[in-house]
Amino acid sequence: MTGAPASWSFGEADAEKMRAVLAGFLRESGARTALVVDRSGQLVATVGEPPAFDPTAFASLTAADFSANDQLARLLGEQEFGTLFHQGERESMYLADVARRVILVVLFDTRTTLGLVKLRARHAVGALDGIFTAMFERDGAGGPRRGMETEFVGEAESEIDKLFGA
Amino acid sequence: MSMINYASREINCKLVYYGPGLGGKTTNLEHVYNKVAPASRGKMISLATESERTLFFDFLPVDLGTIRGFKVKFHLYTVPGQVYYNASRKLILKGVDGVVFVADSQIDRMDANIESMQNLYENMAQYGYDMTKLPFAVQYNKRDLPNAAPVAELQAALNPGWPVSEPARQRTTPDPYHDGEQLVFEQDGQWVERALWFEAVALTGDGVFDTLKAISKSVVKGLG
């Protein structure tokens, strides 16, 4: 593997599949919100109660949290910590690795239990794993790269000049 | 690794400010935060020690607006510069789309600059990224200080260029940001390409947006 990191993309059909899995999981687990965050810190999807916090900041911190714990696992001689749990007085978070590329983040409160969330999450992670593995295989299959329209770069450059001062 | 979400029509790009400790990476982000219209930027997050040294990273999302139906966002990160924080520094590079190396121009920081630059190349190589193929800019910060080394000296040490092997790219290419300078040029029979470079005084904001504009444009070009 050499060169610049390629971008990855997903479409409406992929997003729909993700949403269906997450919506089913929320129904069965009684959790409030499920988010999918990629390992570089970008928010991929949110399902359930819309979060009251800044989701962009949340996604970047989640990825950092997961990566830091990954390194801790290695120091202990473990390959990884596949899941993490943060317990609050009322609100808690459960995080699980998906296909080594994205993270499922579950927010839940006292209306459900960690046991139920964990149990149902296992099935959801399996389903998401399938969706993401297929997505990454397709992106990495060497098909023609789908670039943005020709005008895109020019317009983006003039927006950059406007925002950051010409 | 930019992420293109065709469902919500969003493109997210990750820019990382790298460099030795106390070189001005956080100051770059703070200047951007203070000057960009509040509607175009999100919350700035700093995971710092009590003495305000970056412990893990700083993060600032900047919203470029909607371009041909896509919301384009840049996520700006800094890494901790101190040598012993390499584990966390490396994590931040994951999925990076463009790198700004903030060098400290002071003569007595030359070794720290070189060590940090080598560390950047090593960490990127471990992820399988090739620095010569990625949007990359070097910012010589603290140009206002009396003990700042001459730019030519800094360039020779930190941005000497890498060999250009593809024949199509072996042609003199002017540096769009510096009159009379070249980014691709022939030297002793060898074609060489240098990274974009800028002079800056991040504390006053000089050069901060020049650097950010250039690196953002390089990243955007890669999307086309």
Side-chain angles (χ1 to χ4, degrees):
Chain A
M1 187 169 66
T2 55
S7 51
W8 70 283
S9 62
F10 57 92
E12 187 54 50
D14 302 311
E16 196 43 58
K17 279 187 219 160
M18 262 184 259
R19 281 197 289 264
V21 169
L22 296 174
F25 161 70
L26 289 180
R27 255 194 327 271
E28 291 170 2
S29 66
R32 286 195 300 121
T33 310
L35 302 99
V36 176
V37 172
D38 95 340
R39 290 240 183 176
S40 69
Q42 322 205 44
L43 184 65
V44 176
T46 311
V47 173
E49 282 179 36
F53 48 76
D54 174 352
T56 311
F58 184 84
S60 103
L61 287 169
T62 300
D65 177 26
F66 212 82
S67 299
N69 277 286
D70 231 17
Q71 295 301 311
L72 287 176
R74 280 184 207 168
L75 292 179
L76 295 183
E78 285 289 325
Q79 187 68 28
E80 58 172 351
F81 290 142
T83 61
L84 299 175
F85 171 53
H86 300 310
Q87 183 172 19
E89 222 166 274
R90 288 179 303 274
E91 305 283 331
S92 297
M93 283 171 70
Y94 178 78
L95 301 95
D97 167 71
V98 177
R100 306 283 303 148
R101 291 285 289 270
V102 294
I103 303 157
L104 167 66
V105 186
V106 184
L107 305 179
F108 63 97
D109 54 27
T110 48
R111 285 174 290 180
T112 184
T113 62
L114 172 64
L116 185 60
V117 168
K118 267 170 99 168
L119 182 72
R120 299 299 183 195
R122 204 172 302 156
H123 173 71
V125 164
L128 289 173
D129 216 296
I131 295 170
F132 278 96
T133 303
M135 216 187 284
F136 292 130
E137 275 172 7
R138 183 190 61 204
D139 269 13
R145 201 173 75 84
R146 181 152 61 139
M148 303 306 292
E149 299 167 63
T150 331
E151 297 86 353
F152 177 86
V153 173
E155 287 184 25
E157 285 185 330
S158 64
E159 284 303 322
I160 288 171
D161 283 333
K162 250 191 266 167
L163 184 62
F164 300 147
Chain B
M1 184 180 64
S2 49
M3 181 187 81
I4 307 177
N5 181 342
Y6 287 95
S8 62
R9 300 190 71 79
E10 267 184 27
I11 301 176
N12 291 316
C13 304
K14 181 173 184 175
L15 302 179
V16 174
Y17 284 71
Y18 210 91
L22 295 174
K25 301 176 290 297
T26 302
T27 312
N28 262 269
L29 251 64
E30 284 170 346
H31 183 75
V32 174
Y33 179 84
N34 288 327
K35 293 291 171 191
V36 163
S40 298
R41 49 128 167 104
K43 194 177 155 70
M44 180 160 167
I45 288 176
S46 289
L47 301 188
T49 64
E50 280 175 19
S51 54
E52 298 196 357
R53 300 293 303 272
T54 305
L55 175 66
F56 199 169
F57 61 86
D58 307 301
F59 169 71
L60 174 64
V62 180
D63 203 333
L64 199 56
T66 303
I67 296 149
R68 299 203 83 78
F70 280 87
K71 283 177 268 182
V72 180
K73 293 176 180 173
F74 287 107
H75 292 174
L76 277 47
Y77 284 84
T78 67
V79 298
Q82 288 146 291
V83 174
Y84 46 86
Y85 286 145
N86 192 47
S88 29
R89 188 159 48 236
K90 192 176 158 197
L91 294 177
I92 303 306
L93 286 175
K94 192 173 280 185
V96 64
D97 292 299
V99 177
V100 174
F101 185 92
V102 180
D104 189 328
S105 292
Q106 299 179 88
I107 291 170
D108 57 359
R109 297 297 286 160
M110 194 62 105
D111 288 346
N113 287 327
I114 293 171
E115 188 181 358
S116 178
M117 185 67 92
Q118 282 169 347
N119 175 255
L120 168 64
Y121 274 78
E122 280 161 20
N123 281 339
M124 291 293 277
Q126 282 176 24
Y127 280 127
Y129 303 156
D130 180 347
M131 285 304 294
T132 68
K133 296 200 169 107
L134 187 94
F136 181 33
V138 181
Q139 181 189 76
Y140 299 118
N141 190 25
K142 309 194 189 182
R143 295 309 301 157
D144 58 329
L145 295 186
N147 57 341
V151 169
E153 219 169 277
L154 290 159
Q155 282 276 82
L158 299 170
N159 190 17
W162 52 83
V164 178
S165 50
E166 299 148 61
R169 305 199 57 235
Q170 290 179 340
R171 56 188 166 82
T172 307
T173 311
D175 179 343
Y177 302 101
H178 300 95
D179 285 343
E181 300 268 350
Q182 271 91 38
L183 285 182
V184 183
F185 54 95
E186 202 175 3
Q187 193 178 48
D188 306 327
Q190 166 91 284
W191 282 93
V192 171
E193 177 172 12
R194 273 182 170 161
L196 294 169
W197 60 275
F198 296 90
E199 294 183 72
V201 182
L203 262 181
T204 61
D206 282 355
V208 167
F209 280 108
D210 293 335
T211 315
L212 179 57
K213 258 196 293 183
I215 195 76
S216 323
K217 285 182 182 180
S218 299
V219 168
V220 157
K221 276 199 185 95
L223 296 169

